[in-house]
Amino acid sequence: LNDKSRARELLDEVAAAALKAPNTIEKARTLLGVAHLFAKLDSLRASEVMNEAIKTINRLDNPDFTHSSIMRAIEGRVFSMFASFNMPGINLENALRELGAKDFDGALWLSKNLEDKAQRATAVLALSTPCLDKPQKQSTSTRPRPKPKKAQ
């Protein structure tokens, strides 16, 4: 229990720091990652953070989650330093899929708040994927069905 409470505190700190940042794809990815991790601990808080992530995504001009890395450049007068940070799996689809496993209706409502039609379609498809992956249970009854009685 102490580990879970510490994890919640740490995720809340990360979310608070991210909310103070300017609206960029990095902020959106950070909030999506926090929501994804919160979904395993607290689905209500995960929905709140996902709502903030969607608000951030709606404020971006062209949100692109297809690249799994973020490039950073630090430039001075006489030097330049470049770094690439790999962020696999931190995207809209994975975060909504994880949240949808706990609260499907809430995740669907959140995905409908996306203003970009392509992002909204991707989100809804991501939510429906687990429904399509699970095989339907078929009736495997071993008892024979009773025959209908003839009318006299």
Side-chain angles (χ1 to χ4, degrees):
L1 292 175
N2 192 21
D3 290 341
K4 285 185 179 182
S5 64
R6 180 66 185 131
R8 283 188 183 107
E9 289 174 15
L10 185 61
L11 288 172
D12 276 330
E13 289 176 19
V14 171
L19 289 172
K20 293 176 185 176
N23 293 324
T24 61
I25 192 73
E26 291 83 8
K27 176 181 177 178
R29 279 186 185 268
T30 302
L31 290 172
L32 289 172
V34 170
H36 180 97
L37 293 172
F38 255 130
K40 297 175 184 179
L41 300 172
D42 183 3
S43 61
L44 181 61
R45 182 68 178 127
S47 295
E48 293 171 358
V49 175
M50 181 63 76
N51 190 32
E52 292 299 324
I54 289 175
K55 286 179 183 178
T56 301
I57 292 169
N58 286 339
R59 292 182 188 122
L60 298 176
D61 289 334
N62 291 317
D64 183 17
F65 295 103
T66 58
H67 302 294
S68 64
S69 62
I70 296 175
M71 296 290 292
R72 285 282 158 232
I74 300 173
E75 298 179 13
R77 285 192 337 223
V78 293
F79 73 93
S80 295
M81 184 175 186
F82 298 92
S84 175
F85 300 101
N86 196 15
M87 299 180 71
I90 299 179
N91 57 27
L92 183 63
E93 297 91 15
N94 289 343
L96 278 170
R97 194 176 300 126
E98 186 71 31
L99 184 59
K102 308 286 186 201
D103 180 18
F104 182 82
D105 292 333
L108 184 62
W109 180 81
L110 285 169
S111 66
K112 288 183 178 181
N113 288 334
L114 287 163
E115 293 173 0
D116 183 41
K117 289 181 183 181
Q119 293 288 334
R120 186 176 34 216
T122 302
V124 171
L125 286 173
L127 279 172
S128 64
T129 302
C131 300
L132 299 173
D133 288 343
K134 293 181 181 178
Q136 297 290 329
K137 290 186 178 181
Q138 295 180 355
S139 175
T140 57
S141 177
T142 57
R143 295 186 331 188
R145 289 186 174 177
K147 295 181 180 179
K149 294 182 181 181
K150 293 182 182 178
Q152 294 183 9

